[in-house]
Amino acid sequence: MKNNFRRDIPYALSFPELIELQQFGAIRDEIVNKVITGDKTPQQGLEEIRNEYKRLGGDKQDQLMQEWYDKNKAELAGVKQNLTRRLILQSTSL
């Protein structure tokens, strides 16, 4: 993987400086529809999606998320460890 941040712990980070990236979902869906209808090949669609992601600041978001994760990963690991401990205790008390 290109980025090392954890994808199994749900969190929604918001970076105000990346407001344009909020448009990405609609643009991606439009491109996917063009692929489905045959207006674009899958390869063309994927390339266009990648270009739009970069144009809208996707690489910057990846960088910011990675920095956030590196800064907070010890705390996140502690949270996951505590949750695991609780689940084990709950399952043994049943």
Side-chain angles (χ1 to χ4, degrees), residues 44-86:
Q44 290 170 328
L46 186 57
E47 186 63 30
E48 189 172 342
I49 288 171
R50 286 179 179 151
N51 291 338
E52 287 296 320
Y53 184 75
K54 288 180 181 184
R55 182 182 71 80
L56 294 171
D59 288 341
K60 180 67 174 170
Q61 176 178 298
D62 290 346
Q63 176 191 353
L64 290 171
M65 288 182 77
Q66 184 66 51
E67 290 170 2
W68 182 91
Y69 173 73
D70 290 342
K71 181 180 169 186
N72 295 285
K73 65 183 169 185
E75 183 180 332
L76 290 171
V79 168
K80 185 175 182 183
Q81 188 176 33
N82 287 336
L83 289 172
T84 303
R85 213 176 284 136
R86 284 185 196 166

